[in-house]
Amino acid sequence: MMSRSYTNLLDLAAGNFAALGPSGGGRRRSGSFGMKRMPRVMTVPGPLSDLDDDDEEQAATSSVASDVPSSAVGERLIVVANQLPVVARRRPDGRGWVFSWDEDSLLLRLRDGVPDEMEVFFVGSLRADVPPAEQDEVSQTLIDGFRCAPVFLSPELNERFYHHFCKGYLWPLFHYMLPFAAQLSPTTEAAASSDGGRFDRSAWEAYVLANKHFYEKVVEVINPEDDYIWVHDYHLMALPTFLRRRFNRLRIGFFLHSPFPSSEIYRTLPVREEVLRTLLNCDLIGFHTFDYARHFLSCCSRMLGLEYQSKRGYIGLEYFGRTVGIKIMPMGIHMGQLQSVLRLPEQEQKVAELRQRFEGKAVLLGVDDTDIFKGINLKLLAFETMLRMHPKWQGRAVLVQIANPPRGKGKELETIQAEIRVTCERINRDFGQTGYSPVVFIDRNVPSAERLAYYTIAECVVVTAVRDGMNLTPYEYIVCRQGIPGSESAPEVSGPKKSMLVVSEFIGCSPSLSGAIRVNPWNIETTAEALNEAISTSEQEKQLRHGKHYRYVSTHDVAYWSRSFVQDLERACKDHFRKPCWGIGLGFGFRVVALDPHFSKLNLDTIVMSYERAKNRAILLDYDGTLVPQASINKEPSAEIVRIINTLCSDSNNIVFIVSGRSRDSLGPMFASCPKLGLAAEHGYFLRWTRDEEWQTITRTSDFGWMQMAEPVMNLYTEATDGSYIETKETALVWHHQDADPGFGSTQAKEMLDHLESVLANEPVAVKSGQFIVEVKPQGVSKGLVAEKILTLMKEKGRQADFVLCVGDDRSDEDMFENIADVMKRNIVAPKTPLFACTVGQKPSKARFYLDDTFDVVNMLSSLADASDADPIIELEDDLATSVSLIDISDEPPNLGNRRDEGS
């Protein structure tokens, strides 16, 4: 069941922009950004010149080029994040501001991986409250001096957007914390906590509004034809839809720096489908680990019915004709910035002080933010347990825990902080000695030089977070332990380097650190043993582990990460200007449909005109999803459909066929009131020209012994897969799993496909997978083949078709479209015959035309019926029926027993 549509949320901020028609090379215009309310309608394909005067004015504003001069003529990367990599400080006299780069920001360092010819421009908010009167001046200063465009949010909006929705709801949820209890009133302090409260619709609306402000700033500076957009983290997940609605061809990448939860957790989000769909408006979506990507793909499968494909090492999701790439790449650190700090004289002095202070001690180090997921309390309990289990370390092992000040607040955080204080006091009381404190707890902001000094002297770094997106602490530690050759701060400069890591298996960097000791931080005893193992390991093993880690960290730095992402973004966008694309849908249901350049909606006037001129017409129609909706409970043809079909069949110039995957026992009674209608059942294996004719087969296949081989295999998977069943047709077996668990059903389908292909390798059958099915059927049976044979027979009887219409909606109909497109080359139809291959719905297809739904199909057929000739007919069907031997139809169908299908 789809969650509630939020089509009104873009209206929330006057963001209900009309999606322009097929994107092309948009006209560049200079000018300021203007937000003019536009009509909420579906896109109609067409050039901008077709718009009326008012729409042209709107189109002009939507094609606005950047007012910001670019230093490069070529491409530019616009990095959009919640916060700019800039530090803002008030001047001492209170007049104006002083700005500087935030050297600790990795977003700043991603520039190192971007090609020299590509400019990097930043869009984000400042960590300072700039009065409205000063915002224009601050903006111009940052644009001119830092290539940064600041987004200013009011304090009230920022509170609702950042503290309430991002930190109070999304962040806990993405870290697997469900909001079981309601928060206090939004006016209370607890409402802005990071403990995780229930979904608040007003906070979600603030989130959308804040994302719209970021969108407006991007539009002010963007050149949509040349720029790439790289959006960062969960704060801005609504931004891609705003951008995609405005610029259909814009090249957009997104990277999530937090975990992505499993589908069981994620689907508790009331706006779960809206968030998935807005992310799918990107061209490339990045995650730190395969686990996070796998959870995202699972959510897309379970909630949107999308399946991913892996091709040549790249993972992609097909989404309305676009391939959305999935990138798995853990972020790295900036080696140069760390090494520059290691060279500072004060850092070397601090290292010397710490070595003297902890001389003769094995130092275990923890560096964490103070929040509920970092597991500081679990680390302390494990250290305490190690001292009890291994008394030899009493007086010799020290745990230094640096706890950065909390950025959130709430009851759970306060409880954990209290537990940490109590545990530290207990450990120091129980195991402390004169001049020896087992735990050194530092709960303040620690300067970079001091932090790196602790890394340098630590024997082991311990990370026990219960959930963390990446955590770069181990990477920084490894670089510090490697040191700078020739520096006194380097441990054992003249000898081999060594380090040890104990890391939680629940953090993003864990998979890349294969030499680390991985622990489940919830298991206090095993974590305690891991701490003991880390400081007891032989020197040689410490050196081997360190060398392995340093090789990885030094080659997979932040520049490598950004370079790889930008390259994949370029690859994902390379086809942007080759296909026309349409923007359709409202609100967060908006998406861009990329289609073949020759793909267009079937024009009624055009087909009726061609129909009236033709003398020998072939009309081939699918049934389910074409004449009746797939979701319809009553699958019987309506009286209107029967009337239309009988009218078309009564025209002497027409041959009309229903070509379906249904069995003949299903189709025959269904169209008993259409005496002159041709039927092709089970994808054309059985054929009947009129109601009074006997069913014939298009091949001489009579050996169906393979069914006795395939059925036991399918039964095996049916018994093991709850919700699946086997449909037994006369000539085919179909395994359905649409009612099974989506993930398990898909996995079982792939296993079954391989199993059946192996078992039936020497049998004359084809094993194919479709949407929620695996089908086994005889070789050489398809809708495309039966369509070709019908047209061939018409030609051999001197009634060569000069009008061909075939309509269908699913994969099996694609064979028909493909064959129809080829009949002209082989002279099966008359020269210059109009071929109308038409699919139902706007989706990638081998057909040249589409109709939106079954209503459009019936309406089109009704128009053809109205144009039909009412003169007495020549019974062409009788002549064709007497010549069926020309298409290799056997005299008798095979004796298949009493097999019957169970539906379409």
Side-chain angles (χ1 to χ4, degrees):
M1 186 78 177
M2 292 186 64
S3 57
R4 174 182 170 185
S5 173
Y6 284 84
T7 55
N8 62 320
L9 286 180
L10 297 185
D11 287 332
L12 165 75
N16 185 22
F17 321 114
L20 296 178
S23 291
R27 292 170 291 180
R28 301 188 190 183
R29 302 189 183 189
S30 298
S32 60
F33 170 75
M35 285 301 298
K36 186 172 182 178
R37 181 176 293 275
M38 304 179 79
R40 186 167 69 183
V41 295
M42 183 180 293
T43 298
V44 177
L48 292 179
S49 58
D50 291 343
L51 299 171
D52 59 27
D53 293 340
D54 183 57
D55 285 343
E56 279 207 7
E57 181 182 346
Q58 295 170 3
T61 62
S62 68
S63 299
V64 61
S66 171
D67 285 334
V68 179
S70 174
S71 61
V73 178
E75 297 168 333
R76 183 173 58 163
L77 179 67
I78 298 180
V79 178
V80 191
N82 181 46
Q83 293 183 340
L84 291 171
V86 171
V87 177
R89 296 183 181 88
R90 271 284 187 188
R91 294 184 183 276
D93 58 7
R95 297 181 179 180
W97 296 82
V98 176
F99 302 101
S100 61
W101 288 116
D102 181 359
E103 298 297 335
D104 292 330
S105 171
L106 285 174
L107 285 182
L108 175 64
R109 302 302 178 181
L110 66 77
R111 297 183 302 182
D112 295 349
V114 176
D116 293 339
E117 64 274 12
M118 180 180 281
E119 179 192 0
V120 178
F121 195 96
F122 294 97
V123 174
S125 62
L126 285 170
R127 283 165 288 186
D129 188 10
V130 179
E134 301 177 20
Q135 290 176 1
D136 289 344
E137 181 182 353
V138 167
S139 294
Q140 198 60 50
T141 299
L142 288 173
I143 289 173
D144 293 341
F146 292 83
R147 311 304 296 158
C148 294
V151 178
F152 299 107
L153 303 178
S154 68
E156 297 79 11
L157 177 59
N158 188 64
E159 179 73 15
R160 301 292 295 169
F161 155 65
Y162 181 75
H163 292 289
H164 286 246
F165 195 76
C166 291
K167 295 298 289 184
Y169 183 76
L170 275 184
W171 187 76
L173 184 72
F174 276 33
H175 287 75
Y176 290 71
M177 184 177 179
L178 291 175
F180 291 111
Q183 290 177 341
L184 302 179
S185 165
T187 60
T188 66
E189 181 180 283
S193 75
S194 58
D195 289 353
R198 289 179 186 164
F199 179 81
D200 179 356
R201 198 169 304 280
S202 65
W204 160 247
E205 292 173 352
Y207 179 86
V208 174
L209 179 57
N211 274 249
K212 178 181 169 289
H213 285 307
F214 279 83
Y215 153 77
E216 291 174 349
K217 185 60 65 174
V218 172
V219 171
E220 287 182 20
V221 301
I222 196 174
N223 182 338
E225 293 182 7
D226 294 328
D227 292 345
Y228 289 85
I229 307 295
W230 190 357
V231 183
H232 288 265
D233 223 0
Y234 64 93
H235 313 89
L236 301 175
M237 291 190 295
L239 180 59
T241 288
F242 280 105
L243 292 171
R244 188 64 73 193
R245 285 177 67 90
R246 189 65 174 272
F247 307 110
N248 286 359
R249 294 187 188 274
L250 192 60
R251 296 169 287 194
I252 308 173
F254 179 90
F255 198 93
L256 183 67
H257 293 270
S258 77
F260 194 93
S262 65
S263 60
E264 286 76 13
I265 299 293
Y266 178 80
R267 60 186 175 186
T268 65
L269 177 64
V271 289
R272 58 192 188 183
E273 291 176 11
E274 288 82 353
V275 171
L276 289 179
R277 291 189 186 281
T278 187
L279 290 178
L280 290 172
N281 275 321
C282 298
D283 299 292
L284 183 66
I285 306 171
F287 301 91
H288 284 306
T289 73
F290 175 70
D291 274 351
Y292 304 160
R294 178 169 55 86
H295 294 159
F296 174 78
L297 294 171
S298 175
C299 290
C300 289
S301 173
R302 291 173 179 271
M303 296 166 208
L304 303 180
L306 302 176
E307 297 296 331
Y308 75 91
Q309 294 181 336
S310 183
K311 185 177 181 181
R312 295 183 180 179
Y314 295 103
I315 300 174
L317 279 166
E318 287 297 322
Y319 187 62
F320 291 96
R322 297 169 48 246
T323 300
V324 180
I326 303 298
K327 176 73 172 176
I328 301 167
M329 175 60 69
M331 193 177 189
I333 59 175
H334 190 266
M335 298 283 292
Q337 194 265 342
L338 285 178
Q339 290 173 347
S340 65
V341 175
L342 290 174
R343 291 190 178 94
L344 295 175
E346 57 266 32
Q347 202 272 342
E348 294 189 5
Q349 180 181 352
K350 186 63 180 178
V351 168
E353 292 175 2
L354 292 177
R355 281 198 177 132
Q356 183 177 1
R357 177 181 175 184
F358 296 108
E359 186 177 2
K361 304 292 191 296
V363 178
L364 297 104
L365 175 66
V367 179
D368 304 278
D369 292 334
T370 302
D371 67 48
I372 59 178
F373 298 111
K374 291 301 187 287
I376 298 175
N377 52 335
L378 300 178
K379 186 188 308 180
L380 291 168
L381 292 174
F383 181 68
E384 180 182 28
T385 302
M386 183 198 77
L387 294 179
R388 293 190 188 281
M389 294 171 61
H390 301 278
K392 65 179 180 180
W393 293 114
Q394 296 177 17
R396 296 174 53 203
V398 176
L399 173 62
V400 178
Q401 177 62 55
I402 298 175
N404 300 318
R407 286 179 286 181
K409 50 191 174 181
K411 280 187 177 181
E412 285 201 34
L413 181 58
E414 292 172 1
T415 301
I416 289 176
Q417 287 179 299
E419 181 186 352
I420 290 171
R421 286 193 296 270
V422 170
T423 306
C424 288
E425 292 170 0
R426 185 179 65 248
I427 295 173
N428 286 336
R429 182 181 65 247
D430 293 348
F431 301 101
Q433 303 170 10
T434 303
Y436 167 69
S437 296
V439 176
V440 177
F441 189 74
I442 305 171
D443 57 345
R444 58 176 171 81
N445 277 318
V446 176
S448 296
E450 183 180 354
R451 186 181 78 250
L452 268 57
Y454 275 107
Y455 284 142
T456 303
I457 61 99
E459 188 80 11
C460 173
V461 153
V462 186
V463 181
T464 54
V466 296
R467 190 69 61 181
D468 208 351
M470 185 61 194
N471 201 311
L472 297 174
T473 294
Y475 289 8
E476 294 180 344
Y477 166 65
I478 291 163
V479 173
C480 292
R481 290 293 287 179
Q482 182 72 15
I484 306 297
S487 169
E488 294 180 6
S489 65
E492 299 87 27
V493 172
S494 59
K497 310 300 187 297
K498 59 183 181 180
S499 63
M500 285 299 295
L501 290 168
V502 175
V503 299
S504 166
E505 61 190 54
F506 302 119
I507 64 175
C509 67
S510 176
S512 61
L513 298 171
S514 56
I517 302 174
R518 299 191 182 99
V519 297
N520 172 6
W522 298 103
N523 191 329
I524 303 300
E525 289 74 19
T526 57
T527 304
E529 287 295 342
L531 299 181
N532 173 63
E533 179 185 349
I535 54 181
S536 302
T537 299
S538 68
E539 297 298 301
Q540 183 179 8
E541 186 171 347
K542 290 179 181 179
Q543 294 162 13
L544 291 173
R545 290 175 186 255
H546 172 81
K548 186 175 187 179
H549 289 156
Y550 183 75
R551 285 191 296 273
Y552 176 84
V553 172
S554 61
T555 56
H556 292 73
D557 59 359
V558 66
Y560 178 88
W561 169 74
S562 62
R563 184 184 309 113
S564 179
F565 189 90
V566 170
Q567 288 173 349
D568 277 12
L569 181 58
E570 290 175 339
R571 179 188 55 80
C573 300
K574 70 180 187 304
D575 292 331
H576 263 36
F577 298 97
R578 298 182 185 177
K579 292 182 179 180
C581 52
W582 281 259
I584 62 174
L586 303 174
F588 285 107
F590 178 85
R591 66 271 188 196
V592 167
V593 180
L595 302 168
D596 185 272
H598 304 294
F599 192 72
S600 61
K601 187 168 185 176
L602 185 61
N603 184 281
L604 280 185
D605 293 337
T606 300
I607 191 172
V608 170
M609 188 180 302
S610 298
Y611 180 87
E612 290 174 336
R613 287 199 298 257
K615 299 302 180 184
N616 296 295
R617 312 182 190 106
I619 301 175
L620 310 176
L621 306 171
D622 177 40
Y623 185 68
D624 293 283
T626 300
L627 296 180
V628 295
Q630 286 282 13
S632 176
I633 298 176
N634 181 12
K635 295 291 186 179
E636 293 292 320
S638 65
E640 174 68 5
I641 290 175
V642 171
R643 181 194 69 78
I644 291 171
I645 288 177
N646 280 331
T647 303
L648 291 172
C649 291
S650 298
D651 192 325
S652 62
N653 296 330
N654 292 345
I655 295 293
V656 184
F657 264 86
I658 298 292
V659 184
S660 173
R662 285 177 173 264
S663 71
R664 54 180 176 173
D665 290 338
S666 174
L667 284 179
M670 196 177 282
F671 289 99
S673 56
C674 301
K676 295 178 181 179
L677 174 66
L679 297 177
E682 298 196 18
H683 300 299
Y685 187 89
F686 293 107
L687 197 70
R688 188 177 81 180
W689 288 87
T690 67
R691 183 184 62 190
D692 299 330
E693 297 292 327
E694 293 294 324
W695 286 97
Q696 308 290 341
T697 59
I698 65 170
T699 72
R700 298 188 182 276
T701 301
S702 58
D703 180 12
F704 284 82
W706 57 265
M707 283 193 169
Q708 280 67 48
M709 301 170 63
E711 200 161 20
V713 174
M714 301 178 93
N715 280 329
L716 180 69
Y717 287 87
T718 303
E719 292 171 4
T721 311
D722 186 42
S724 67
Y725 67 93
I726 301 172
E727 177 187 355
T728 304
K729 299 182 179 181
E730 292 185 72
T731 64
L733 293 173
V734 185
W735 187 72
H736 296 262
H737 62 92
Q738 65 263 34
D739 295 326
D741 177 87
F744 186 55
S746 177
T747 300
Q748 291 289 78
K750 293 174 183 177
E751 290 289 335
M752 179 190 287
L753 189 69
D754 292 340
H755 196 162
L756 288 171
E757 286 177 342
S758 175
V759 170
L760 303 173
N762 298 320
E763 300 297 322
V765 296
V767 184
K768 293 187 176 181
S769 63
Q771 187 171 17
F772 302 117
I773 67 164
V774 175
E775 183 174 22
V776 187
K777 63 181 182 179
Q779 288 178 346
V781 177
S782 71
K783 290 185 178 182
L785 182 61
V786 72
E788 182 181 332
K789 288 186 178 292
I790 291 170
L791 295 173
T792 300
L793 181 56
M794 291 179 66
K795 176 185 177 182
E796 292 175 351
K797 291 302 296 178
R799 304 297 300 271
Q800 190 174 30
D802 57 2
F803 172 95
V804 179
L805 168 66
C806 60
V807 189
D809 75 304
D810 62 19
R811 292 184 185 180
S812 62
D813 299 304
E814 295 297 314
D815 294 333
M816 187 161 56
F817 301 149
E818 188 174 22
N819 280 34
I820 290 298
D822 207 35
V823 294
M824 185 93 70
K825 299 176 184 176
R826 291 181 283 163
N827 297 319
I828 297 175
V829 297
K832 299 184 179 179
T833 294
L835 303 176
F836 296 96
C838 180
T839 189
V840 181
Q842 290 189 46
K843 58 181 181 287
S845 173
K846 295 173 183 175
R848 275 203 61 186
F849 303 98
Y850 72 89
L851 290 170
D852 288 324
D853 48 33
T854 57
F855 177 82
D856 277 1
V857 174
V858 174
N859 184 50
M860 179 269 296
L861 293 176
S862 179
S863 298
L864 298 185
D866 293 342
S868 283
D869 187 5
D871 291 341
I873 64 171
I874 300 174
E875 298 293 342
L876 176 61
E877 291 87 347
D878 293 340
D879 294 336
L880 294 172
T882 59
S883 306
V884 293
S885 60
L886 294 175
I887 60 169
D888 191 28
I889 298 181
S890 61
D891 294 333
E892 296 292 337
N895 183 10
L896 305 174
N898 294 320
R899 297 185 180 274
R900 297 292 183 267
D901 75 337
E902 298 177 10
S904 173

